[in-house]
Amino acid sequence: MNTPLPDVPEVRVVGLPQLTQGFDLVERLDLQMHLKVHGPLEPVSGERLAQLAEEISLTGRGGAGFPFGRKLRAVAKSAIRRGIRPVVVVNGSEGEPACRKDTVLLNRAPHLILDGALLAAEALGARTLVVAVTRNSTEVSMRAALAERGLSDRRGQQLRARVVRTPERMVSGEASSVIRAVNGGPALPPGRRVRAADSGVGGAPTLLSNAETFAQLAVAARIGSRRYAHTGLDSEPGTVMLTISGAVARPMVVEVPTGVPLRYVLQLAGAPPLPQGVLTGGYHGNWIDSVAVHEAVVSKASLASVGGALGAGAILPIGPETCPLGESLRVANWLAAETAGQCGPCKLGLPAAAGGLADVMNGGGPAALEALREVTQAVKGRGACKHPDGSARFFASTLSAFTDDLAAHVLHGGCGRPTLGVLPLPLPGYEEAEESIPSGEKVFIDWTLCQGHGLCADIVPELIRLNPDGYPSVADAVVPVHLRGRAQRAVRRCPALAMRIEQVDAPPPAAARPALPSSNRKALGSGRD
């Protein structure tokens, strides 16, 4: 089965829309329509912005759930102590195949995200804004949004803003991976944990948060904390964006107030009335059963109380007709393949755990089950990034949620049901199939100068490989926009000055760039502490 989710699935709303306001009018809110729908945004001082985030209990919506106000204060404190202007990064990297809520916002409400990011940048005195994305559609939308505001990465601007493309991989969305990619390295965890608030992009204090988090901040800044709190629970006010997929009739992204029964949201998407299990929080989340589904409401606290997790907002039910261990094995194999390969628990432990689950399903008996439990336990807390811990959580949840099925496979060789593949995963070769936005430029090498140092292949391996003689072999293709920066870096760092980039084709037409009126430009972030 395995039908991957589209970039922008159906979008629904329960109650009154906040983040999705205007979605019923147009497919994408450009700057003019954004201002008509949401109105101007008044400047907010740094201290007031932190207070606002605390009053609405705003936490990161990418999965970690760190309090935004505390993060904002930490970056400000570090910037003042070091005397360095901080950097603001919007993390729109969504490399999990079950998540689309940030992609929906980046594609359809890009200026709401930019509003929140610009508020934070102005409050902190930042002069650099970076938006990290994973898909063509989000890159096109955010580049157009920056152009509509007259923002670019040109020198001399009060605020330099740019879009950075990261690979569509699970590990590439982690904060440290995004920062490493923005700094020009691979979009992989660095293997050592350094707080972005202390040292992030270019070594500067960096405020990095999820795309939805910035959009929520923009909504709260417009309507105020009291009105914001009229929606949802007192303890977790506001709305959340959820991606509902799996065994549903209509995969969708839905904006829903906290406190709404989870079963109602699943019913909205056409889920089975009595699901065999529901994976909450995505592929680093936890399974819950149908009883827990009927008890839980949409909130972090409620889902945690029944053994679930809100995480990145992905909710995936499976019906009674499929083998839950088979479904979990498909995800386990994908998680193992997503390893960054930088530490033993990830490079060796996750494939071993996936193989152990396969052994259990194939009649390995109690010994295979015990070996699987040991491997899962050994992975926890020992990785260089959060991928091993999240994957171990998924394995442990699978073993505890489907005990009857485990017994059937361990004692009787199977449960008698097929694996239907209802949990979305990328199709084989999806990375190669994903087209990139062409820049209209190509890389050329002057063979009379090239000495085969090979530095260029290390900087941009997607375009340049070393042949058996140790000399670079350049792809005969136009440089994609998201690789242009690294290609230029390879040219600059060539010791023999043997490389160049030339325009060979007209780049795609630029998006319309209406200048933001000066009155609105001030309203969108010119107030200072």
Side-chain angles (χ1 to χ4, degrees):
M1 185 176 172
N2 187 25
T3 302
L5 293 175
D7 276 13
V8 183
E10 178 185 356
V11 179
R12 300 287 294 273
V13 61
V14 176
L16 296 176
Q18 290 188 358
L19 303 180
T20 58
Q21 191 174 354
F23 281 21
D24 57 332
L25 302 175
V26 292
E27 284 299 310
R28 177 184 180 275
L29 279 74
D30 60 14
L31 181 59
Q32 184 178 9
M33 180 59 72
H34 168 75
L35 292 174
K36 286 181 179 179
V37 169
H38 293 282
L41 182 59
E42 297 299 325
V44 180
S45 69
E47 177 59 29
R48 178 65 196 122
L49 195 63
Q51 290 176 355
L52 174 66
E54 291 165 352
E55 288 169 1
I56 65 172
S57 302
L58 181 61
T59 57
R61 301 301 178 91
F66 193 84
F68 184 85
R70 194 190 309 173
K71 186 183 294 187
L72 187 68
R73 293 181 190 277
V75 172
K77 183 178 179 180
S78 180
I80 293 171
R81 184 181 71 251
R82 297 177 57 194
I84 299 176
R85 288 194 180 272
V87 176
V88 174
V89 177
V90 177
N91 189 359
S93 300
E94 206 166 37
E96 186 170 345
C99 294
R100 288 296 184 273
K101 53 103 173 174
D102 289 319
T103 300
V104 163
L105 290 175
L106 290 161
N107 272 288
R108 300 197 61 182
H111 289 285
L112 198 60
I113 297 167
L114 287 179
D115 278 350
L118 291 172
L119 280 175
E122 184 61 31
L124 292 168
R127 292 293 178 262
T128 302
L129 170 64
V130 182
V131 183
V133 298
T134 52
R135 298 186 175 93
N136 282 344
S137 61
T138 50
E139 183 179 1
V140 169
S141 177
M142 293 312 298
R143 288 186 183 279
L146 292 179
E148 288 162 7
R149 289 179 183 251
L151 295 172
S152 73
D153 197 28
R154 289 193 297 271
R155 293 179 182 271
Q157 292 203 120
Q158 185 177 7
L159 177 72
R160 297 180 65 177
R162 68 184 189 273
V163 177
V164 171
R165 181 76 170 265
T166 62
E168 195 173 336
R169 293 192 58 192
M170 189 75 160
V171 295
S172 298
E174 186 173 311
S176 61
S177 299
V178 172
I179 289 174
R180 196 176 180 191
V182 173
N183 283 333
L188 298 173
R192 56 187 180 87
R193 301 192 179 185
V194 179
R195 284 202 324 161
D198 295 325
S199 179
V201 175
T206 299
L207 176 70
L208 182 147
S209 201
N210 169 261
E212 183 193 341
T213 312
F214 283 112
Q216 294 282 2
L217 184 68
V219 169
R222 276 187 169 87
I223 66 178
S225 59
R226 183 172 300 179
R227 183 177 163 194
Y228 186 95
H230 287 168
T231 300
L233 300 169
D234 292 339
S235 57
E236 299 179 34
T239 65
V240 296
M241 297 286 284
L242 302 174
T243 310
I244 315 296
S245 64
V248 297
R250 300 178 301 281
M252 64 176 59
V253 168
V254 57
E255 181 183 12
V256 55
T258 55
V260 169
L262 180 60
R263 64 180 182 275
Y264 177 78
V265 178
L266 292 173
Q267 181 183 1
L268 191 68
L274 288 175
Q276 181 177 191
V278 176
L279 184 58
T280 60
Y283 294 157
H284 277 176
N286 294 323
W287 289 99
I288 61 175
D289 60 23
S290 58
V291 175
V293 168
H294 281 264
E295 294 176 353
V297 301
V298 177
S299 81
K300 288 185 294 184
S302 176
L303 286 169
S305 70
V306 296
L310 184 59
I315 307 294
L316 302 105
I318 60 173
E321 66 281 354
T322 190
C323 173
L325 298 185
E327 295 288 345
S328 297
L329 178 59
R330 294 176 61 250
V331 175
N333 287 329
W334 179 80
L335 290 171
E338 286 296 287
T339 173
Q342 298 182 139
C343 66
C346 199
K347 184 177 181 179
L348 303 176
L350 297 187
L357 183 56
D359 288 343
V360 170
M361 289 192 62
N362 293 330
L369 178 58
E370 184 59 31
L372 173 57
R373 294 187 191 279
E374 290 179 1
V375 170
T376 301
Q377 188 63 35
V379 166
K380 291 181 181 178
R382 298 177 54 210
C385 71
K386 297 176 182 177
H387 183 54
D389 285 351
S391 301
R393 186 182 308 115
F394 172 80
F395 280 106
S397 176
T398 299
L399 296 181
S400 62
F402 303 112
T403 53
D404 291 345
D405 294 272
L406 270 176
H409 280 273
V410 170
L411 300 177
H412 307 295
C415 65
R417 289 172 293 178
T419 299
L420 300 179
V422 298
L423 299 181
L425 290 173
L427 293 173
Y430 74 99
E431 291 175 325
E432 291 76 13
E434 173 78 353
E435 291 186 3
S436 297
I437 303 170
S439 66
E441 299 172 337
K442 279 188 177 182
V443 174
F444 295 93
I445 294 179
D446 185 339
W447 298 110
T448 65
L449 298 175
C450 181
Q451 299 174 12
H453 293 94
L455 183 61
C456 53
D458 292 334
I459 296 175
V460 58
E462 296 90 342
L463 294 176
I464 303 173
R465 303 286 178 89
L466 297 183
N467 63 26
D469 297 325
Y471 282 84
S473 176
V474 183
D476 186 22
V478 175
V479 177
V481 168
H482 71 278
L483 294 179
R484 188 182 182 193
R486 279 196 281 155
Q488 292 172 336
R489 189 177 304 111
V491 170
R492 291 194 301 268
R493 294 186 180 180
C494 176
L497 303 179
M499 297 181 63
R500 68 185 189 277
I501 295 180
E502 292 184 2
Q503 189 79 34
V504 296
D505 192 11
R513 303 187 180 193
L516 185 62
S518 58
S519 59
N520 282 338
R521 187 179 297 117
K522 180 178 180 181
L524 288 165
S526 60
R528 293 292 306 276
D529 274 342

